[in-house]
Structures are given as structure tokens and as C-alpha cells.
Amino acid sequence: MEAGPGPASRADGRTNLQIRTLLCERGLLQRADGSARWSQDKTSVLAAVYGPRTTLGRKEDSEKAVVQVIFKPKSGTYRYNAPGGTENQYQKLVRTAVQGVFAASLHPRTAVQVIIQVVRDGGSVLSCALNATCAALVDAGVLLHNMFASVSCAVYSTGSLLLDPDTSEEQEAQAFGCFAFCATGELTEQGYKVVTSQGVLISCVHGCLDVQEYLTMLELARQGCQRISEFAKLSLDKVFS
């Protein structure tokens, strides 16, 4: 499997393994405990976090906090018409990612609610939603075991692979995947740096590909998440500098 040309040269001039321009803005919503807007060129997602807050009734867990996720597409309709499925599927994936890093046992009988609003969808919207969610959780001061980063990949019938595909590239791909990896900090002689773990937090793939293609996609996604984690650290450094 190659990271060579796809079915055509990328319309925006990027190389196949190049991620679109990243932008992260925090603290945009005053009524939320934390919020962030994550943009990758023409894709922009706003995430708001509320909690941990006391919850009542059947949604309460006496041993840990409950994570609730609401995913709202730009169109406002229930079904989200994109490679990868519906709002309900996206909500489950985001909830799984948050549950994988959130110190929920420290907040029994409470709930953390994440509301995600797609502002613009230019492709790879689920990975943008995951990145926005992580940034919003940090902005809210929610205690996490690790941060996480996400990136999408597309595979073509030629065997070539693209990172961070836009809408047209998703539609032309043989297979499309969204991945998320935990990001941990390490103190080195050069200073504090972010390292993406080998273990995958989220793996959601649609389409046809063999095992070797999947493993190659997974490794390139991990490398892409490393770059996104480094950007997220720089973005966070600016907030506290």
C-alpha cells in the first residue's frame, strides 16, 4: 500500500499525507463549563461541555459519572448523510472516546454532557468533532487520564491513501476511516513533548480493504494524530502563556 497519488491530484494542492490548516478556539460559550471550536479548512465543529453536574433518576450511576453526547448536524435533520453513518453512530463513538479518557469514578452520581454542533462540513467531520470535544473537555477543566486526537483516512482502489480527506475525496474513496489515539506527555531533555500512544482509542472504518491495508491506514493515522496532538499542545500553551 502506498501513500502515492490518489485518483487525481488533490484539489487544494496538499500532499497525500498533509493535514488541512488547523484552528482551535476555546471558551466561546459563556454558559457552558467549557467550549471549543475546531476547524480544518472548510470543516468546522463547535463543542460545548456541561458538568460534571448532579443528575437524578435512571441516568444516575452511583459509582461513576455518566457521559451524555448530543451530535447536531448542520442541516438540523436527524440522519447525518455522510460516509460513516448517522447522528446516533457519531454520538456513540464520541461517548466511547470520552469514556476512555475521563476519570469518571471520581465523580459518582453526576453527568457530563457534550453537545456537538457542526458549523461547516467540508469532510472528515467526525474527526473534527472528536478534536473539538477533547479541546472543550480541557477548557472545562474536566479531569482526564489522557488527552486524545483524531484524524480521518481514505483508501483508493489503486492502494493509495490520503490523510484528512475532504468531502469529494471521501465520496471517491474505496474505504474511509476515522481513528483516535490517546496522547500522553513526556519530559525530555528538550522539554515537555506530546507522544501519541500505540493503542487505538477509536477505530471506525467503512468500505472494503484487507488486513494489511487496515494496518497501514492505522499506522499513518497514528502519525497524523501525533501532528494534531502537537498542534493541540501549542494551542493550549498559548492560552496559559
Side-chain angles (χ1 to χ4, degrees):
M1 188 174 191
E2 302 176 351
S9 59
R10 304 187 82 166
D12 54 11
R14 287 183 292 150
T15 63
N16 284 12
L17 301 185
Q18 187 174 356
I19 296 171
R20 290 172 293 178
T21 302
L22 302 173
L23 176 65
C24 181
E25 302 168 275
R26 305 171 192 268
L28 301 177
L29 303 177
Q30 294 183 352
R31 295 186 178 182
D33 293 305
S35 60
R37 178 164 60 191
W38 186 280
S39 302
Q40 292 178 211
D41 193 29
K42 295 180 181 180
T43 302
S44 181
V45 178
L46 179 65
V49 171
Y50 300 87
R53 296 180 177 180
T54 303
T55 183
L56 300 174
R58 291 181 298 175
K59 294 182 179 180
E60 179 184 285
D61 191 319
S62 61
E63 297 183 353
K64 62 183 179 180
V66 175
V67 178
Q68 303 167 343
V69 177
I70 299 174
F71 188 97
K72 298 181 179 180
K74 183 176 183 293
S75 63
T77 57
Y78 179 75
R79 184 170 182 83
Y80 188 66
N81 186 22
T86 65
E87 289 178 53
N88 188 49
Q89 290 175 318
Y90 282 16
Q91 287 170 178
K92 289 179 180 178
L93 288 166
V94 175
R95 184 167 60 249
T96 297
V98 175
Q99 290 172 334
V101 299
F102 175 37
S105 61
L106 299 181
H107 304 278
R109 295 188 173 89
T110 64
V112 170
Q113 186 179 61
V114 180
I115 299 178
I116 300 167
Q117 175 66 62
V118 177
V119 181
R120 291 185 300 169
D121 183 2
S124 301
V125 71
L126 177 56
S127 58
C128 283
L130 286 162
N131 291 327
T133 298
C134 185
L137 289 167
V138 173
D139 187 61
V142 175
L143 184 59
L144 306 175
H145 297 299
N146 298 289
M147 295 174 62
F148 60 85
S150 177
V151 73
S152 297
C153 304
V155 178
Y156 290 89
S157 57
T158 58
S160 58
L161 183 146
L162 304 182
L163 276 182
D164 189 26
D166 60 25
T167 303
S168 61
E169 290 170 340
E170 289 176 351
Q171 294 171 347
E172 296 171 359
Q174 169 185 299
F176 172 84
C178 177
F179 304 89
F181 292 82
C182 290
T184 58
E186 288 187 1
L187 189 61
T188 66
E189 294 181 355
Q190 292 74 33
Y192 186 82
K193 70 175 184 177
V194 177
V195 178
T196 302
S197 66
Q198 295 291 331
V200 63
L201 182 64
I202 291 292
S203 174
C204 178
V205 179
H206 298 265
C208 299
L209 68 167
D210 59 33
V211 173
Q212 187 55 51
E213 287 175 332
Y214 172 77
L215 293 176
T216 302
M217 177 189 279
L218 193 65
E219 174 56 26
L220 290 176
R222 190 191 67 80
Q223 295 174 19
C225 285
Q226 174 67 32
R227 281 176 266 165
I228 289 177
S229 297
E230 292 169 355
F231 168 79
K233 178 183 179 298
L234 290 174
S235 174
L236 194 60
D237 287 344
K238 291 181 180 179
V239 174
F240 295 105
S241 61

